[in-house]
Structures are given as structure tokens and as C-alpha cells.
């Protein structure tokens, strides 16, 4: 459920809950619905009516980033240069991972609370696989590289970059690490 389909007061409450949750995620605080209610200055029942679990709320916080990545992936599929398309998609993905703290736990979760999350994760997986296959078929990346290899490599880059200071420094570090990874993936 989104704020767009709710009464005005309910939509304001939904938006306030999501904003408070975003702030907590950004500061690294685990989401607890009772804490969200207190910080949003509303009743616990109001929060639970909108979000039955903390996982559903976390997925809602992550949805805009997941949607942006999926849209970028779809655009990348239209790029006639398979190597550039894959590199651009991976760059956008790694930037999102190091700037949006909600993405890693949502994408790593074995189950989803919301159908929209499942749909977006499937889209991202499919797009990533297609981009990699196109790059392999064009012989611009190693033939033995699979999407099952690429996911943990990307997670490793994000993990390594996240130990560095500010978001801008983390993004620059992640880009540098990704460039090193990509140079190791390309066929020479």
C-alpha cells in the first residue's frame, strides 16, 4: 500500500512513518515499529496498520532505490555496447549499495514481506543476468563468469567501500574497486 491510495491524514501518517524509518536506516539503527511510532509521535496501532512488520517497512524504504535500479537496468539493456551497458549497470548498482543502507538487508533477505519487493528483485536479477550474458556473448567479459559469481563480488565491493568515511568517499572508493574488478573480468 502506498500513500497515494490513502485518505489525506492516513497518507500523511504513512509518509511520516517512512521518513522516520529512512532516518533510522540512514543512521544504522535497526527498525522497531514501537520505536518508529514514538519517534513519529503517533500510536503504535497506526504504524502497525500501515506496516505489519519491520521488514515490510524496511522494504518500503528500499523501494525507490530498487525501482531506480530496475529502470536503469532496463535502459542499459537498450545500450548497443554490451560492455558499457554492464559496466554502467554495475556502477549504478554499487553506488546505490554504498549510499542506501536499506538495500543490502533487503536484497540479501531470503524472503520478502512485500510482493513488490519480490518483483523488483526478480527484475534486477533478470536484467543483471541478461546484461552479463550479452557481455559474455560479445566476448568482452570472461566466458566463465556467471551471475552467481558477480553478486558476491559486488557485495564484497560494497562491504569494503562502506568502511570508508563519508558517502562521497564511499562512492569514489566503490567506483575505484569496481573498476579494478571490471578490468579483471574483461577479455584481453
Amino acid at each position: 500500500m502506498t500513500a497515494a491510495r490513502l485518505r489525506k491524514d492516513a497518507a500523511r501518517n504513512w509518509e511520516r512513518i517512512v521518513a522516520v524509518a529512512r532516518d533510522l536506516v540512514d543512521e544504522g539503527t535497526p527498525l522497531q515499529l514501537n520505536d518508529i511510532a514514538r519517534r513519529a509521535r503517533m500510536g503504535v496501532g497506526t504504524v502497525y496498520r500501515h506496516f505489519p512488520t519491520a521488514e515490510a517497512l524496511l522494504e518500503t524504504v528500499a523501494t525507490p532505490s530498487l525501482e531506480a535500479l530496475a529502470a536503469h537496468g532496463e535502459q542499459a539493456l537498450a545500450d548497443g555496447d554490451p560492455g558499457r551497458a554492464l559496466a554502467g549497470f554495475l556502477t549504478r548498482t554499487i553506488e546505490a549499495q554504498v549510499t542506501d543502507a536499506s538495500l543490502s538487508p533487503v536484497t540479501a533477505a531470503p524472503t520478502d514481506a512485500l510482493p513488490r519487493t519480490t518483483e523488483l528483485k526478480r527484475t534486477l536479477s533478470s536484467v543483471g543476468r541478461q546484461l552479463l550474458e550479452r557481455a559474455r556473448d560479445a566476448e568482452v567479459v570472461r566466458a566463465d563468469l556467471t551471475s552467481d559469481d558477480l553478486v558476491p563480488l559486488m557485495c564484497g565491493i560494497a562491504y569494503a567501500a562502506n568502511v570508508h568515511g563519508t558517502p562521497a568517499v564511499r562512492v569514489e572508493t566503490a567506483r575505484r574497486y569496481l573498476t579494478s574488478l571490471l578490468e579483471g573480468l574483461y577479455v584481453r
Side-chain angles (χ1 to χ4, degrees), residues 79-118:
D79 189 331
D81 181 332
R84 182 179 59 215
L86 177 63
F89 178 69
L90 294 179
T91 299
R92 184 70 61 94
T93 300
I94 202 70
E95 289 170 355
Q97 284 182 294
V98 299
T99 58
D100 187 342
S102 69
L103 281 180
S104 289
V106 168
T107 57
T111 59
D112 303 318
L114 304 174
R116 180 70 175 142
T117 304
T118 302

Side-chain angles (χ1 to χ4, degrees), residues 18-77:
V18 173
V20 168
R22 165 56 51 195
D23 290 344
L24 290 172
V25 167
D26 288 346
E27 69 185 37
T29 303
L31 297 184
Q32 296 181 4
L33 297 183
N34 290 352
D35 188 35
I36 300 287
R38 183 180 53 74
R39 290 178 186 234
R41 295 191 170 115
M42 60 183 64
V44 174
T46 300
V47 174
Y48 278 90
R49 269 191 300 281
H50 289 286
F51 302 99
T53 64
E55 293 78 17
L57 179 53
L58 181 61
E59 290 176 22
T60 300
V61 170
T63 294
S65 289
L66 291 170
E67 289 174 339
L69 284 174
H72 180 75
E74 295 291 340
Q75 290 172 348
L77 286 172

